Structures are given as C-alpha cells and as structure tokens.
Amino acid sequence: MNAVPLRNNKAAASAVRTITVLGATGSIGDSTMDLLRASPERYQVEALTANGNVEGLARLAKEFNARFVAVADASKLGELREALAGTNIAFGAGENAIIEAAERPADWVMAAVSGAAGLKPALAAADRGATIALANKECLVCAGDFFMDRAAKAGACILPADSEHNALFQALASGNREELVRVIITASGGPFRTWKAADIAQATLAQALKHPNWSMGQKITIDSASMMNKGLEVIEASYLFALSPDEIDVLVHPQSIVHGMVEFSDRSVMAQLGTPDMRTPIAHCLGWPDRITGRAAALDLAKIGSLTFEAPDYDRFPGLKLAYDALRTGNGATTVYNAANEVAVAAFVAQRIRFGGIAQLVEATLNNWVRAGNLAPLTSADDAISVDHDARNSAAALLPQIALKAS
C-alpha cells in the first residue's frame, strides 16, 4: 500500500491550513517560510523547530505567531526561554520536544529535519494521519518500507518536497500505475560533470562546493558533486512510488530545468519543468490538492535556448551504481549506504580522505555489512537507527585504510 497519492483527487482543503515546519531555519525551511509569508491569510503556524539556531527560531516564532517551538539541542533550553520571554509561545528542547512538535494538530507538516534525526518526528506526524511534505531523505533511505506502510495505515498523505520527486509526482498524475514503464530522475551532473575520473578523485572541498545551478547546504552540495544525491533519490523514488530499481533511470541534464519525467506504455513521456528554485516543489506541496501562487522566477525557455541530456557515467561516479546495488540488496542496505556516505562526507570535509575516498568508503562499508550476514528486514525506527549506528561505526573503523588507499 502506498501513502503517496498518485492521483490528484482534489480533496477539499480547509480555508485556513495549520502548518508545522520541522527544520524551519534550514534552507528548505527558509523557502517554506518565504511562501507562508506571502499568504498569511491562508496559513496558521502551529509549530516550528530548529537544530540549534535559537535566534532564528525565536525570530520566526514571533513573526508567525507560532503556538509551539522546539530546539533539538537540549542544552539550549535556557537560551530559548530567554529568547521567547514576554510571549505566550510554548517551547521545549531535545528529541522529545521535536517529536512533540510533530505530534501537535497541524494539517500540514514540512519534514525538513536533516539526517536520521528526522525519522522519529516524521513518523510521529505520519502516525496521526497528517499531510507531510517530505524533504528528509533519511526517512525513506533508512526506513522506506515501514515508513510508507505506517503512513498508509494511518491515512497520512506523503507529498514529495524534493524537486525531482515532486516532478515525478506531478507527471505520474498523467497515467495509471499499470501504464507506467519507467520514471526518469534528472541530475545536473554537479561541478565535476566533465572532469576525468583521476581529477575527480583528487578534487578539493572548494571545488566540490561550486555547484553550477543550485544553492544548497554543504552536505547536499558535496553529495551532488559525487552524485551520491542521485543515488539517494533513486532509493527514495523506489519507496515513495513502489517502483523496482529497473523502473528508475537517471539522466544527466546540466540546465536543471527538467526535474523529472515519466514514460507510459504508449511511449508518451510526461515531464515537469521549472527554474531551479526549491520554492516551486514546496509551493506545490503547500497548496495541494490545489495550486498557489509561487515565488520562483517564471520559466523562460526562449532565453535558456536549449536543453541537453546525457547518460550518467557510473565509472566516474560510482556512488550512483552503489545506490542501485543497495536497493537491490534491501534489508537495511540502503540505511548502510546513507550512513557510510555521511561518515565519508564528514571525513572529506575534515580533510581525512580524498574526494575519491567517499565512494570507496561507502562500498567497503556495504561489502563488510553484507559479508557479516546482516540481512534482516527493518520493522521499526529503532531497527533503522540501530543499523545506522552500526554502519557509522563500521565506516569510521574503515576510514584509515580508505585514507591510505585514496591518497
């Protein structure tokens, strides 16, 4: 059973929609708040959360008259109390407070807490049947099977907020599941799209952070440079739309105008296009099942002039192939893929491994995990978190030999 509504049924929307934003001070949260700011008469903010940015969280809470705010860093409770002095805004700190924010009675929840820390809050929102705009990859990469199952059982509506998955969501409305041949996720190719493999392996942090089209956080920008982000998106698409790995293709599209395509049995290919701006997919989720006025720039195809496409190179970007391998292996392998990649990226940022060592560490961690016979299905958030923890420890233990190999 799938909690993603593949057909837009135009369910009646409330006149004023109550909103919770998990991760309100991050880049996705910032885009969401910008859209809410444009239509204050349509939305009431129920809860906002942040990891540790107390100043930014308090500022947003006052601006939007939030009813509850929470910061993940428990040590900042006093700082948050001081920042909200003189208001009637309820507040909390720590993991339980973030979960409480997700459990509060908002119609619509933006799940944009990054990392595995976003899993339990998103599940809390799903368990009460909320409409969830999902921007946290880890919910699906680490726990896709049971996350979608629980969401479906609770009657939750999962709306993809990533640009690529939102594009697929819109394009899928053009046909039925039995008519689908494949979905196509587009990739910019990142800053190393035309580089030779040897040069990519030795790329610096500054070079990896020069994304040609998107302005994103450090981690996702590095993932784009390695194309690990496309691997994560392939895994997400599989769980979101109940697709096999063979039904998901990746196509490099340097202009980042076509965000996703769906091919149907009659050979029609439906595509969603737009300027590279996260406010477009977020606006689609925020207004669904209707459409609202967006804040992104209008698409001018005549000015762009041409759109080009090319096949991905799995030899130069091995992280993408590893994602397909993990997805086919199943039983927690995608959780290991994600955890090892996070350890690898952190090591690269800390200059402990070369850029080429990122994929090498992920591959070595996956191989060790499979050889150890750890192929049990994940049935709970605790299962996923346990595998995530073990995979991080395994990746950390492998770091020294990968550092020597990639030097």
Side-chain angles (χ1 to χ4, degrees), residues 187 189 193 227 249-254 308-317 320:
R193 180 177 64 87
M227 288 194 74
D249 283 344
V250 173
L251 191 62
V252 177
H253 168 50
T308 60
F309 304 90
E310 58 198 61
D313 187 331
Y314 295 103
D315 292 328
R316 290 188 301 127
F317 299 98
L320 181 55

Side-chain angles (χ1 to χ4, degrees), residues 40 82 89 98 108 117 137 144 149 156 188 201 240 306 327 337 350 359 376:
E82 184 177 342
I89 301 169
I98 303 297
W108 187 96
K137 295 182 188 302
D149 184 59
S188 69
L240 268 172
S306 64
L327 189 55
Y337 174 90

Side-chain angles (χ1 to χ4, degrees), residues 1-2 4-8 168-169 171-183 237-248 262-266:
M1 191 172 183
N2 203 313
V4 174
L6 296 184
R7 284 287 195 175
N8 213 350
L168 297 180
F169 175 47
L172 282 163
S174 297
N176 296 310
R177 178 64 179 89
E178 60 270 20
E179 298 163 347
L180 181 141
V181 174
R182 61 173 177 153
V183 304
S238 176
Y239 291 126
L240 268 172
F241 305 115
L243 301 170
S244 73
D246 294 333
E247 292 176 312
I248 308 168
V262 177
E263 181 182 353
F264 292 102
S265 54
D266 62 1

Side-chain angles (χ1 to χ4, degrees), residues 142-405:
C142 297
D145 279 335
F146 74 83
F147 180 87
M148 295 304 293
D149 184 59
R150 274 176 57 170
K153 288 178 179 176
C157 176
I158 307 300
L159 301 175
D162 277 348
S163 58
E164 294 82 4
H165 301 94
N166 185 265
L168 297 180
F169 175 47
Q170 295 193 52
L172 282 163
S174 297
N176 296 310
R177 178 64 179 89
E178 60 270 20
E179 298 163 347
L180 181 141
V181 174
R182 61 173 177 153
V183 304
I184 303 166
I185 299 172
T186 58
S188 69
F192 307 141
R193 180 177 64 87
T194 61
W195 286 34
K196 295 178 181 178
D199 294 332
I200 295 173
Q202 301 298 320
T204 67
L205 176 60
Q207 290 169 329
L209 291 174
K210 289 183 179 179
H211 195 280
N213 300 333
W214 295 92
S215 176
M216 305 175 291
Q218 185 181 67
K219 165 65 164 54
I220 191 172
T221 304
I222 294 169
D223 282 348
S224 178
S226 67
M227 288 194 74
M228 287 285 188
N229 70 319
K230 283 309 125 176
L232 294 168
E233 288 168 12
V234 166
I235 295 166
E236 284 184 271
S238 176
Y239 291 126
L240 268 172
F241 305 115
L243 301 170
S244 73
D246 294 333
E247 292 176 312
I248 308 168
D249 283 344
V250 173
L251 191 62
V252 177
H253 168 50
Q255 295 81 19
S256 295
I257 297 300
V258 178
H259 302 294
M261 296 176 273
V262 177
E263 181 182 353
F264 292 102
S265 54
D266 62 1
R267 299 308 178 189
S268 292
V269 177
M270 308 303 294
Q272 187 270 339
L273 287 71
T275 53
D277 190 323
M278 282 303 300
R279 290 176 297 181
T280 298
I282 294 170
H284 181 262
C285 293
L286 194 57
W288 192 90
D290 301 316
R291 291 186 184 267
I292 63 174
T293 301
R295 303 273 280 175
L299 178 60
D300 187 343
L301 287 172
K303 184 177 180 180
I304 294 167
S306 64
L307 304 177
T308 60
F309 304 90
E310 58 198 61
D313 187 331
Y314 295 103
D315 292 328
R316 290 188 301 127
F317 299 98
L320 181 55
K321 180 182 181 299
L322 289 172
Y324 279 99
D325 293 342
L327 189 55
R328 290 188 173 98
T329 300
N331 293 324
T334 59
T335 312
V336 176
Y337 174 90
N338 176 73
N341 179 56
E342 290 196 5
V343 171
V345 170
F348 170 66
V349 171
Q351 299 184 347
R352 296 182 63 193
I353 59 172
R354 300 281 190 178
F355 188 81
I358 295 175
Q360 291 174 4
L361 182 60
V362 173
E363 183 175 20
T365 306
L366 278 167
N367 288 342
N368 276 9
W369 187 82
V370 172
R371 278 197 297 266
N374 298 315
L375 294 174
L378 307 183
T379 59
S380 70
D382 287 337
D383 282 352
I385 291 170
S386 177
V387 170
D388 178 87
H389 176 76
D390 291 346
R392 289 172 192 274
N393 287 341
S394 177
L398 288 165
L399 261 175
Q401 70 184 69
I402 296 300
L404 287 173
K405 182 178 180 182

